[in-house]
Amino acid sequence: MPAFEISHGRDRSVTRLLNRDLSLEERERDRWSAPPGGEIRPLATARELRRKPIRGLTVEDMRRLIRQDLGPA
């Protein structure tokens, strides 16, 4: 399972592995469904990006998620 280690602050003993083959939806166990009647384009894009494996997210994808306060937790 490809993963990398995330360090939190100065305490390097607090780490966790992140499986980059999972999407944000899979990682957070929170699936977004499209609302009835459609949605605005930025939210539709964010929903699509949340389904993409983390490994496949580009810098621009991450910028979009972070700008909407929807990035990785």
Side-chain angles (χ1 to χ4, degrees):
M1 162 178 35
F4 65 93
E5 198 171 279
I6 298 175
S7 185
H8 298 279
R10 294 180 183 199
D11 182 7
R12 300 234 180 246
S13 65
V14 180
T15 58
R16 62 185 161 143
L17 295 178
L18 177 64
N19 183 345
R20 296 183 301 162
D21 293 327
L22 296 177
S23 67
L24 291 174
E25 264 191 354
E26 293 167 323
R27 182 178 177 273
E28 295 174 357
R29 296 182 182 138
D30 182 21
R31 184 170 174 86
W32 293 4
S33 56
E39 63 189 333
I40 61 173
R41 185 71 195 146
L43 287 179
T45 300
R47 188 170 37 79
E48 292 169 15
L49 292 175
R50 286 180 46 80
R51 292 183 176 157
K52 192 175 184 180
I54 293 169
R55 167 183 312 288
L57 292 173
T58 66
V59 171
E60 180 65 16
D61 294 339
M62 293 300 294
R63 184 196 64 78
R64 286 181 175 161
L65 289 167
I66 291 168
R67 183 169 179 156
Q68 295 200 22
D69 198 21
L70 301 170

